[in-house]
Amino acid sequence: MNLIVAKNIKRLREENKLSMDELARLSGVSKSMLAQIERGDGNPTLSTLWKISNGMKVPFDALTVRPESPYEIVKTAEIQPILEDNGNVKNYPLFPDDENRRFAVYYLELDMNSYWQSEPHLKGTTEFITIFTGEIEIFADSERFVVEKGESIRFKADVVHSYKNTGKETAVLHMILYNP
């Protein structure tokens, strides 16, 4: 935790263009203590951290939060898939939707003859699907589409829609759900 706090304080101080002297003056924490904390050598008390957060005018938890990494490697083999059709459809949430994104990315495997019907998503949601292996049949809003390896489809997913593997092998696809 000390290293997380150290990195956050240094990052926030630099983002706010504060020198060590300025932060010491604003927070009432000595420059030598601030330097020690930023190196990860110090073991600051809660009172000291409150002084620093108040001095920088940032929420206290900004000092303790793990910053989001600018990159993320996702290993599909380490993800527990969402199963449909008695396990014949495996849906791996690679990058699930969260409060900071308006999209989600999935990797799917549909065994031969598998079928999955989805309820409507939020109003305005669009699905983008690319087929890497096999062939699937998609029904969306009473329209039928057959999509094969090397093809992609986009459709409004705020209606009942379904997927069926109509090929002679496991269908592998990527799906992006965009939520406006």
Side-chain angles (χ1 to χ4, degrees):
M1 181 54 79
N2 284 348
L3 291 177
I4 292 168
V5 168
K7 288 179 182 178
N8 285 335
I9 290 174
K10 183 173 183 175
R11 177 182 50 79
L12 290 165
R13 182 178 60 77
E14 290 173 349
E15 285 175 3
N16 289 306
K17 298 181 180 9
L18 294 173
S19 68
M20 209 55 102
D21 287 324
E22 290 171 311
L23 182 54
R25 182 181 55 75
L26 291 170
S27 66
V29 177
S30 72
K31 181 180 171 182
S32 61
M33 174 61 85
L34 288 171
Q36 189 178 9
I37 293 169
E38 280 193 10
R39 286 193 308 268
D41 295 336
N43 191 11
T45 64
L46 287 175
S47 174
T48 300
L49 293 178
W50 272 109
K51 289 179 183 178
I52 294 169
S53 70
N54 289 337
M56 286 196 283
K57 295 182 174 50
V58 299
F60 179 83
D61 53 342
L63 304 183
T64 58
V65 70
R66 293 182 188 272
E68 186 173 313
S69 175
Y71 58 87
E72 180 179 7
I73 296 174
V74 176
K75 297 180 181 182
T76 306
E78 295 176 1
I79 298 173
Q80 181 67 39
I82 301 165
L83 303 176
E84 298 288 343
D85 189 21
N86 297 313
N88 293 312
V89 174
K90 297 168 193 71
N91 185 340
Y92 297 84
L94 300 177
F95 298 100
D97 193 6
D98 66 21
E99 68 275 0
N100 298 315
R101 279 192 290 261
R102 295 188 326 205
F103 68 91
V105 180
Y106 299 92
Y107 166 85
L108 287 92
E109 295 176 353
L110 288 80
D111 293 340
M112 285 178 45
N113 300 313
S114 61
Y115 175 83
W116 168 36
Q117 180 172 302
S118 177
E119 293 298 316
H121 300 302
L122 294 174
K123 184 158 182 57
T125 298
T126 303
E127 284 193 19
F128 299 84
I129 296 175
T130 299
I131 308 297
F132 292 100
T133 310
E135 171 185 292
I136 64 170
E137 176 183 73
I138 296 174
F139 275 94
D141 200 24
S142 303
E143 295 287 328
R144 177 183 177 266
F145 307 95
V146 176
V147 191
E148 300 175 351
K149 176 182 176 178
E151 296 179 338
S152 299
I153 184 173
R154 169 186 52 83
F155 62 91
K156 294 291 183 185
D158 54 4
V159 296
V160 173
H161 51 285
S162 64
Y163 317 83
K164 182 176 183 178
N165 182 343
T166 54
K168 299 185 182 338
E169 62 184 321
T170 298
V172 175
L173 57 109
H174 272 188
M175 175 191 297
I176 297 172
L177 267 65
Y178 173 72
N179 302 303

